[in-house]
Amino acid sequence: KVDAERKKTFVLKMPMELTQSRIQKIWLPNDNRPALPRRSCGPQLANSPTVIVMVGLPARGKTYISKKLTRYLNWIGVPTKVFNVGEYRREAVKHYSSYDFFRPDNEEAMKVRRQCAMAALRDVKLYLTEEAGQIAVFDATNTTRERRGMILNFAKENGFKVFFIESVCNDPTVVATNVMEVKLSSPDYRDCNSTDAMEDFMKRINCYQASYQPLDPDDYDRELSLIKVIDVGRRFLVNRVQDHIQSRIVYYLMNIHVQPRTIYLCRHGESEFNLMGKIGGDSGLSNRGKKFALALNEFVEEQNLKDLKVWTSQLKRTIQTAEALRLPYEQWKALNEIDAGVCEEMTYEEIREQHPEEFALRDQDKYYYRYPSGESYQDLVQRLEPVIMELERQENVLVICHQAVMRCLLAYFLDKSADEMPYLKCPLHTVLKLTPVAYGCRVESISLNVEAVNTHRERPEEAKKGPNPLMRRNSVTPLASPEPTKKPRINSFEEHVAVSSTLPGCVPQEVPTQMPGQ
Amino acid sequence: VCMTNCPTLIVMVGLPARGKTYISKKLTRYLNWIGVPTKEFNVGQYRRDLVKKYKSFEFFLPDNEEGLKIRRQCALAALNDVRQYLSEENGHVAVFDATNTTRERRETIYKFGEENGYKTFFVESVCVDPEVIAANIVQVKLGSPDYVDCSNDEATEDFMKRIECYKNSYETLDETLDKDLSYIKIMDVGRSYLVNRVMDHIQSRIVYYLMNIHVTPRSIYLCRHGESELNLKGRIGGDPGLSVRGKEFAKSLAQFINEQNIKDLKVWTSQMKRTIQTAEALGVPYEQWKVLNEIDAGVCEEMTYEEIQENYPLEFALRDQDKYRYRYPKGESYEDLVQRLEPVIMELERQENVLVICHQAVMRCLLAYFLDKPAEQLPYLKCPLHTVLKLTPVAYG
């Protein structure tokens, strides 16, 4: 009853006065009431931090999945980091001698391995409680119930949710391919030839077989939240998905595949507006742009691909470009160029003249900056997510799009942070050819040798200096997947001193909206 | 995006009262809303049309030759209609809603699919929890035409015996025997899922949808922002604040919400000032979604309809011709809205009690999803200001 009374007086006092934040154009109440948390740009993707626990024998794709998933989550704005226990082990045991290290009766090694796992978990805790991390991916075999039980306890003590991802595969061809792709070149086998390395690794896998207890959602593990990926995605078993982010993770895992294929990204040919230095709009190709379209056609033919899908936006210039290819193509509205709102069809000079403050704000924080009545790069990422999901499902695809859009897509494939994204170089008349390889993506830049204007604006010098008073405090810029933590702490059992925290209190994964002075 | 090349045949599998028809109808509604022409074919309905009066569970006894003959006939008639829908009427997805509990029956259907160039995807619902089954019977079986002349107790007793008729011959989708089929097995109303060989985009979307829906009772409240300054002037779009009456509405909404005494209500707004001002009056946390923003009227933003008719007479006429597909120059169409609202619908399915404070065109799209209104009707659904629509799932709708 007291609550109801309080609410009533609260309501009566409220003036409903709002101010629009200057960079993101988010409406906020004038009186900053920190008691009510708000989210700015979309649904709250996660509340408590989550530990994703990989499970599976060696060479089952755990690290592949860990890295890929982490890249995806960071791109959509959920701060995520991988903690690979193998890396901790390599730090602790400088030289790997042989599979004997992994024998279940090797007590000394078992001790070291356990310490590495503990050290990694300590870093997980730090990341999730003090470094604004939302999701930690704990990448290790975790093949025994005992180990998983230990992790569950750890999570419970710290109020983390746990989601297991198990990869099960008994196809010897797949396993052998994995070993060749990523194990032979591992630091462990630096001084071995391929045959010896292969032989040793197979014995290493064997060391785990006897004690492997797969997840059992029908009985022992019925209360756990998990997905079992069987035979590289032929089959999935999903149990007790708890929340939105787990649901998105499951959807993502079910859409990725490992078939070799190539993704081509390019912009439309040079447009009439490009020639005039105008941004946005819906103009047609210039003469040089048309030349590029023809050159693109030749290029595609030379690539000699089986079943190439071609996607364009719904703006004239990408469609005109695709028309030159004489291949069927699909138009996606989601691939349209960033909406510059009131600045559409202006040159940068005109913008600087007519909207000087907006012009300055954009240079300060190009990722979050939203054009008045337009969009930001952050908005673009949200609208491009279905494109990324479908790209993951597909095989050979050519995406003919626009500068800002291409930067967003490229940032996903090359794991570039939000900070870098708006400054990635995507020149006209250049095709980027992306091929998945090992744990990442190889990129080849192919200029088709047709002249065009340069539409790239470098990060201005002033913005490169330290944080500006106009910038938000407490801003959480989504990172690219951070380097896996390798700090060895196995020799000291004391809790180490906390890293200087960047953010006090409640930390949302997007930019919080309490902004002084805005 | 072209979501389907060849048509898809979805085949439901499961004992009676496992939610097959619930899933069929809901899935069909979702697919149609996102623009994939879908239709369900309920074999029970065909049976009711053929056998005018249902007597008792004995019709379903496995040794009732007459009954078996009729039931097989109905299944074939339904499949025939499926073929007509997918091959001649531009349907993309057909949902074949029947028990389909034997491997033999499923093979017949699979072959039918192959012969006609359809991809087949099985959706099996497995549930052994007697409480769930009892609840299902109460929700949707007691009111069935089959039991129109029975008391609830009689109906329940008969239906339980009906389920028994299927149990002995029930062959669940098997990990080994059915390893080459594409399917999802839903266990215990969504506690866990088994997904096998998803073939294409539409199957992937179907799986994602099925994994996000739930049956926990809840209510969804839809309303528009309070009256805005531009509403008063008869102007569309823009980003105005609330009028005096709009602020009054916001306060009334706060009172209304209080009175409803809703457990754990989530509040969502767009990123436009007028919905946020409305939410501010509630004194509870809310989430801003850019995708809930009003339809972008492009060059017509902030104009009155008179001004649009004057300045863009052709566009004005075109819009009335096909209001669903019509896109404002440099703006959006209702069709575009649906695509951008799909993540909202998906999250609404995941959530429980939610109040969505949005805008006229947006609210029409969301309402059309919940009330299964087709594209032609969607842009004309009545969503007046200062009115809250309270939606509660019941039976199949």
Side-chain angles (χ1 to χ4, degrees):
Chain A
K1 187 156 190 269
V2 174
D3 254 304
E5 282 304 313
R6 196 145 33 104
K7 251 194 203 165
K8 247 201 274 177
T9 37
F10 199 39
V11 166
L12 290 170
K13 279 184 187 155
M14 275 213 272
M16 292 176 247
E17 289 307 313
L18 304 175
T19 321
Q20 196 177 47
S21 72
R22 288 157 76 203
I23 288 187
Q24 283 187 293
K25 312 296 189 294
I26 301 292
W27 287 105
L28 303 162
N30 284 353
D31 51 342
N32 280 325
R33 270 163 288 128
L36 299 178
R38 285 173 191 86
R39 293 288 172 266
S40 54
C41 293
Q44 193 179 26
L45 292 178
N47 321 341
S48 359
T50 304
V51 181
I52 295 178
V53 182
M54 303 304 299
V55 179
L57 294 173
R60 263 56 180 182
K62 297 185 299 301
T63 303
Y64 175 82
I65 291 170
S66 299
K67 287 177 182 261
K68 206 171 160 73
L69 184 58
T70 298
R71 175 162 59 89
Y72 168 72
L73 291 171
N74 278 308
W75 186 75
I76 63 171
V78 182
T80 307
K81 189 169 171 180
V82 180
F83 297 82
N84 176 288
V85 176
E87 307 239 351
Y88 284 72
R89 189 260 305 158
R90 274 185 279 277
E91 281 288 315
V93 182
K94 293 301 174 191
H95 180 68
Y96 172 79
S97 46
S98 82
Y99 78 96
D100 284 323
F101 182 83
F102 290 97
R103 284 172 48 179
D105 54 2
N106 184 340
E107 287 204 21
E108 183 62 32
M110 289 294 261
K111 214 171 97 182
V112 171
R113 290 160 71 195
R114 191 180 173 77
Q115 281 171 349
C116 289
M118 303 298 304
L121 283 179
R122 274 196 291 274
D123 285 346
V124 162
K125 178 175 172 175
L126 234 141
Y127 177 65
L128 296 180
T129 54
E130 294 174 40
E131 292 172 16
Q134 196 64 53
I135 301 192
V137 183
F138 189 67
D139 180 16
T141 48
N142 299 315
T143 39
T144 61
R145 286 180 180 166
E146 188 252 326
R147 173 55 55 86
R148 297 194 291 263
M150 192 259 282
I151 299 168
L152 282 164
N153 285 335
F154 160 83
K156 190 157 172 210
E157 282 165 18
N158 289 288
F160 304 150
K161 286 186 184 170
V162 180
F163 187 71
F164 291 92
I165 300 178
E166 180 176 25
S167 174
V168 175
C169 181
N170 297 314
D171 181 340
T173 325
V174 174
V175 174
T177 312
N178 288 354
V179 175
M180 288 201 302
E181 270 269 300
V182 296
K183 300 295 178 186
L184 302 187
S185 54
S186 151
D188 290 345
Y189 297 111
R190 192 172 28 224
D191 306 317
C192 290
N193 66 56
S194 299
T195 328
D196 292 344
M198 176 72 85
E199 194 184 317
D200 183 87
F201 200 85
M202 297 313 279
K203 291 192 186 140
R204 202 157 122 179
I205 298 176
N206 252 348
C207 295
Y208 289 84
Q209 299 267 27
S211 60
Y212 182 20
Q213 293 164 300
L215 286 171
D216 178 25
D218 289 331
D219 188 14
Y220 188 85
D221 298 308
R222 58 188 293 111
E223 299 297 323
L224 300 182
S225 298
L226 65 96
I227 179 171
K228 209 188 256 259
V229 179
I230 300 158
D231 290 336
V232 203
R234 175 155 307 165
R235 205 173 149 76
F236 302 90
L237 224 149
V238 179
N239 198 57
R240 292 196 191 271
V241 168
Q242 295 177 52
D243 60 18
H244 178 101
I245 196 64
Q246 289 181 16
S247 167
R248 292 281 285 277
I249 289 167
V250 166
Y251 184 44
Y252 183 72
L253 292 177
M254 290 177 52
N255 281 315
I256 60 180
H257 67 77
V258 292
Q259 297 309 313
R261 48 83 168 253
T262 309
I263 293 170
Y264 299 83
L265 302 179
C266 72
R267 292 164 67 186
H268 53 83
E270 183 191 68
S271 73
E272 296 290 353
F273 271 19
N274 287 143
L275 278 179
M276 296 188 259
K278 287 180 184 287
I279 65 170
D282 193 11
S283 58
L285 297 179
S286 68
N287 280 332
R288 297 194 298 196
K290 290 176 184 169
K291 256 181 84 180
F292 165 73
L294 294 170
L296 185 63
N297 180 37
E298 259 186 63
F299 170 77
V300 167
E301 278 176 11
E302 280 161 22
Q303 293 289 298
N304 204 17
L305 299 154
K306 121 186 144 92
D307 296 332
L308 177 71
K309 292 257 167 81
V310 179
W311 296 352
T312 70
S313 71
Q314 285 189 349
L315 294 171
K316 188 174 178 184
R317 51 201 187 276
T318 56
I319 298 167
Q320 271 184 306
T321 310
E323 278 290 320
L325 303 178
R326 291 165 312 165
L327 287 169
Y329 57 90
E330 286 174 34
Q331 298 186 16
W332 292 66
K333 187 173 196 280
L335 284 171
N336 280 10
E337 181 57 316
I338 192 170
D339 183 354
V342 301
C343 300
E344 277 282 316
E345 307 198 24
M346 292 177 134
T347 64
Y348 284 114
E349 290 66 48
E350 284 165 355
I351 301 174
R352 198 202 304 251
E353 252 168 68
Q354 296 177 38
H355 303 275
E357 197 187 319
E358 293 298 325
F359 190 82
L361 285 171
R362 187 160 201 251
D363 279 339
Q364 268 173 36
D365 201 349
K366 203 171 171 189
Y367 180 77
Y368 286 106
Y369 172 83
R370 184 185 282 168
Y371 281 104
S373 306
E375 295 178 303
S376 62
Y377 272 89
Q378 187 186 29
D379 295 327
L380 260 194
V381 163
Q382 190 170 65
R383 98 158 133 86
L384 286 170
E385 200 264 353
V387 176
I388 288 296
M389 197 62 86
E390 190 55 21
L391 275 172
E392 286 295 346
R393 289 200 54 80
Q394 292 290 344
E395 295 191 15
N396 294 323
V397 186
L398 163 63
V399 184
I400 304 173
C401 53
H402 305 266
Q403 182 167 247
V405 168
M406 187 162 156
R407 284 170 170 156
C408 289
L409 298 178
L410 194 59
Y412 167 75
F413 288 109
L414 301 187
D415 202 18
K416 298 295 183 188
S417 69
D419 196 59
E420 297 170 83
M421 185 193 295
Y423 297 101
L424 294 176
K425 282 200 167 57
C426 294
L428 286 165
H429 299 185
T430 306
V431 179
L432 292 186
K433 179 175 174 178
L434 302 163
T435 335
V437 68
Y439 291 137
C441 216
R442 191 181 77 194
V443 58
E444 245 181 277
S445 173
I446 302 147
S447 159
L448 296 196
N449 286 324
V450 178
E451 286 282 309
V453 298
N454 176 15
T455 58
H456 186 87
R457 293 183 69 242
E458 286 291 350
R459 193 193 299 261
E461 281 309 311
E462 314 84 61
K464 282 179 190 165
K465 293 177 195 157
N468 187 293
L470 282 171
M471 295 265 313
R472 288 161 306 291
R473 290 182 287 130
N474 304 342
S475 72
V476 183
T477 305
L479 307 168
S481 316
E483 280 305 306
T485 307
K486 299 184 234 184
K487 292 174 283 233
R489 231 163 266 113
I490 50 158
N491 293 322
S492 85
F493 288 83
E494 300 99 53
E495 289 300 312
H496 73 111
V497 176
V499 170
S500 62
S501 32
T502 34
L503 304 144
C506 160
V507 177
Q509 77 285 3
E510 291 135 343
V511 179
T513 53
Q514 274 103 312
M515 298 174 212
Q518 292 211 17
Chain B
V1 154
C2 172
M3 289 199 259
T4 46
N5 322 341
C6 25
T8 302
L9 173 60
I10 296 178
V11 181
M12 303 304 299
V13 180
L15 292 172
R18 263 56 178 183
K20 297 185 299 300
T21 302
Y22 176 83
I23 291 170
S24 300
K25 286 180 181 274
K26 208 170 157 73
L27 186 57
T28 299
R29 176 162 57 91
Y30 168 72
L31 291 172
N32 278 311
W33 187 75
I34 62 171
V36 180
T38 305
K39 190 167 167 184
E40 24 135 13
F41 298 83
N42 177 286
V43 176
Q45 199 47 53
Y46 283 73
R47 188 259 307 157
R48 273 185 280 278
D49 290 341
L50 198 59
V51 182
K52 296 301 172 191
K53 178 100 175 75
Y54 172 78
K55 295 200 201 82
S56 82
F57 76 94
E58 281 166 13
F59 180 81
F60 291 96
L61 282 169
D63 54 4
N64 179 349
E65 297 251 355
E66 184 62 32
L68 282 172
K69 209 172 99 183
I70 293 173
R71 290 156 71 195
R72 193 177 172 74
Q73 233 180 308
C74 291
L76 292 174
L79 281 181
N80 204 29
D81 286 348
V82 162
R83 176 157 36 79
Q84 185 150 342
Y85 179 66
L86 294 181
S87 303
E88 295 168 39
E89 290 172 18
N90 290 322
H92 283 208
V93 179
V95 184
F96 189 69
D97 179 17
T99 49
N100 299 315
T101 38
T102 62
R103 190 155 285 112
E104 187 244 330
R105 170 57 54 89
R106 295 194 292 266
E107 260 166 34
T108 310
I109 300 169
Y110 186 80
K111 279 204 194 82
F112 162 84
E114 291 256 293
E115 281 162 18
N116 288 286
Y118 309 149
K119 284 186 187 167
T120 306
F121 186 72
F122 294 91
V123 177
E124 180 174 19
S125 173
V126 175
C127 181
V128 294
D129 182 342
E131 275 181 40
V132 172
I133 295 160
N136 287 356
I137 294 176
V138 168
Q139 272 262 311
V140 295
K141 300 295 179 186
L142 300 186
S144 152
D146 290 347
Y147 296 113
V148 72
D149 299 322
C150 293
S151 76
N152 284 354
D153 286 334
E154 285 165 356
T156 308
E157 194 186 320
D158 183 271
F159 200 85
M160 295 308 283
K161 291 190 185 139
R162 206 156 120 178
I163 298 176
E164 284 303 313
C165 295
Y166 288 86
K167 281 197 174 159
N168 279 338
S169 59
Y170 182 17
E171 295 168 289
T172 186
L173 286 171
D174 180 80
E175 193 177 317
T176 319
L177 295 170
D178 298 308
K179 66 176 171 49
D180 291 327
L181 299 180
S182 297
Y183 66 84
I184 178 172
K185 197 189 263 224
I186 303 170
M187 285 159 298
D188 295 333
V189 203
R191 177 187 57 85
S192 62
Y193 305 88
L194 220 150
V195 180
N196 199 59
R197 287 191 190 267
V198 168
M199 308 264 359
D200 59 16
H201 177 100
I202 193 67
Q203 289 182 15
S204 167
R205 293 285 285 275
I206 289 166
V207 165
Y208 185 45
Y209 182 72
L210 292 176
M211 288 177 56
N212 280 316
I213 60 181
H214 67 76
V215 292
T216 313
R218 48 85 169 253
S219 289
I220 294 170
Y221 299 80
L222 301 180
C223 72
R224 292 167 65 186
H225 53 84
E227 183 190 66
S228 76
E229 295 291 352
L230 284 186
N231 286 142
L232 275 179
K233 300 189 189 142
R235 295 184 175 281
I236 65 170
D239 195 12
L242 296 179
S243 68
V244 171
R245 294 193 300 196
K247 290 180 181 169
E248 283 294 314
F249 166 72
K251 296 191 189 132
S252 300
L253 184 64
Q255 208 174 355
F256 170 76
I257 292 300
N258 248 339
E259 283 160 15
Q260 288 284 303
N261 205 17
I262 308 154
K263 157 179 121 87
D264 294 332
L265 178 71
K266 294 257 164 85
V267 179
W268 297 352
T269 70
S270 71
Q271 286 191 348
M272 295 181 143
K273 190 173 181 184
R274 51 202 189 277
T275 57
I276 298 166
Q277 272 185 304
T278 310
E280 276 291 319
L282 303 177
V284 296
Y286 57 91
E287 288 175 31
Q288 299 186 16
W289 293 64
K290 187 175 193 282
V291 291
L292 282 172
N293 281 7
E294 181 57 314
I295 191 170
D296 183 354
V299 300
C300 300
E301 278 281 318
E302 305 203 32
M303 290 182 150
T304 64
Y305 284 115
E306 291 72 43
E307 284 168 358
I308 300 175
Q309 190 158 21
E310 243 181 74
N311 293 307
Y312 299 99
L314 183 59
E315 293 297 327
F316 191 81
L318 285 170
R319 187 161 202 248
D320 280 338
Q321 268 174 39
D322 192 351
K323 202 172 170 190
Y324 183 74
R325 269 169 213 88
Y326 171 82
R327 187 185 280 169
Y328 281 104
K330 304 199 177 168
E332 294 177 300
S333 62
Y334 272 95
E335 196 174 19
D336 294 328
L337 260 194
V338 162
Q339 191 167 68
R340 91 159 139 87
L341 287 169
E342 200 264 354
V344 174
I345 288 296
M346 197 62 86
E347 191 55 20
L348 275 171
E349 286 295 345
R350 287 198 56 80
Q351 291 290 342
E352 294 188 14
N353 293 320
V354 186
L355 163 64
V356 184
I357 305 172
C358 53
H359 306 264
Q360 183 167 244
V362 169
M363 187 161 158
R364 283 170 169 158
C365 290
L366 298 178
L367 194 59
Y369 167 74
F370 288 109
L371 301 187
D372 201 16
K373 298 294 182 188
E376 302 76 56
Q377 292 179 39
L378 192 162
Y380 299 99
L381 294 175
K382 284 198 168 52
C383 295
L385 285 165
H386 302 182
T387 307
V388 179
L389 294 184
K390 179 178 175 178
L391 304 163
T392 328
V394 66
Y396 291 138

